[in-house]
Amino acid sequence: MERILIVDDNTDICLLLERFLSKQGYKTASVQRGDDALTLLRKDSFELVICDFKLPDVDGLEMLRRIKILDQTTAVIIITGYSDVRMAVQTVKHGAYDYVTKPLYPDEILYTIKSALDRRSQLVDSRSVAVVAADDHEDEMPEVSPVKPVARSPKTGTVINGGRRFIFGKSRAAEMLQKHIDLIAPTNMSVIITGETGTGKEFVANAIHQKSKRAGKPFVAIDCGALSKELAGSELFGHVKGSFTGATSDKMGSFEYANGGTLFLDEIGNLSYENQIKLLRVLQERKIRRIGSNTDILVDVRILVATNEDLREAVRQGRFREDIFHRLDEFRIELTPLRDRKADILLFAEHFLDIANEQLEKNVQGFDEEVKEKLKEYYWHGNLREIQNVVKRAVLLAQGDIITLDCLPFEIISPTYAIEDSGTVVSTVAPANNLKSVSENAERAAIIKVLEKTGYNKTKAAEVLNIDRKTLYNKLKAYDIHL
């Protein structure tokens, strides 16, 4: 029986979820504080943790980090209010399986839980097979099924890959993206893919791989943001039995798994300095060494990396090695946020509608005209991932063949507008009833934008905003901005 831990300071939510999930055949426990959850996780094993983003003692990102340090295989689902969706998206980038927004709907939460547990089982099984393969065939690489040919629709940029359908879109930005992928894919050049969270950086990396000469070899994706400093070295380079506490057998690293193919390193800026040095050696010599080993292993891997921060600024601040940056920066692809690709919004919505129909076993035919307009007007902080979640929830709530306004979250139905700072869109806020509210919303949006640009470095953000750190901390508290 799979065990689920519920972490929420709202006792009613804990009680309701425990009752509901117990009836579905799960064994449950609940706590109201993050520290209590971590204490319980140290004593008992849980396959899944459902965690509220806002807890009395810790936020969702910190909880996620601590849970993954205790057991990297534990699946995590974040509960959040819709106003915190942007931060919830960040938790997904750092290793959470998914997030659900309040109010909670039984069908949605149950579907998300089942999907998370299925995904966890697949990962655990694959790791077990990998360990056996490493023990039995030390010098052999795991067999990889051949990749099916890639087909594309000239009108929408649809890509069919092994039965899975992706779309680029039809906007000018989408057309340029396709041209860049077609140009760079046949080469062995390293690529830096930049863009906001949820813009599809891994999809672009996969598309490059599928159109390259390495398409029949492995494509391995690693989220560096989800790896703790302690685990990153082992995950990337592998380790030998006994090299550290918990190393009960030899383990192949991601570079070995990707040999002959492509390794995609997402959130590359999160690598520790020590692991950056090891990565530099691979880039220079095409050799890796497992932790605890004295033997070099030759690898032939194309490296693609992604980031949602400015790596040049990270180099200037000394957080990222300049020599690595220049070796990786042979070609750069910058992904445009969804809000700047208006022509693609409904195309993506229809694509995700098809996926949701299949997942939820429904047959919703489309969107009414009011819904289409609201989707085109919305700012889409979370980009493709956010629109996918909105459409999935709308399909779940739809009572007929068409998605209507009452199936959308209030924040999308309510009119919104963009605030501009020196001509740059910085945020979207709900209309205010007085000038003070408008001013406060604009200031909050400006602070969030600067924090994002500085990689959430509060000292740097205070300098950019021309205020002292104490003032920034007071404003973070006043505007309920959680880092």
Side-chain angles (χ1 to χ4, degrees), residues 78-127:
I78 299 294
I79 300 175
T80 181
Y82 208 85
S83 61
D84 288 316
V85 162
R86 295 178 68 195
M87 295 305 297
V89 170
Q90 289 294 324
T91 66
V92 174
K93 292 301 298 178
H94 286 76
Y97 173 77
D98 206 344
Y99 65 87
V100 291
T101 55
K102 298 174 183 177
L104 302 179
Y105 295 93
D107 290 345
E108 179 187 15
I109 189 71
L110 184 60
Y111 170 79
T112 306
I113 287 170
K114 288 181 177 179
S115 299
L117 290 172
D118 287 345
R119 175 62 175 160
R120 177 190 177 276
S121 297
Q122 292 171 7
L123 291 174
V124 171
D125 290 344
S126 66
R127 290 189 177 199

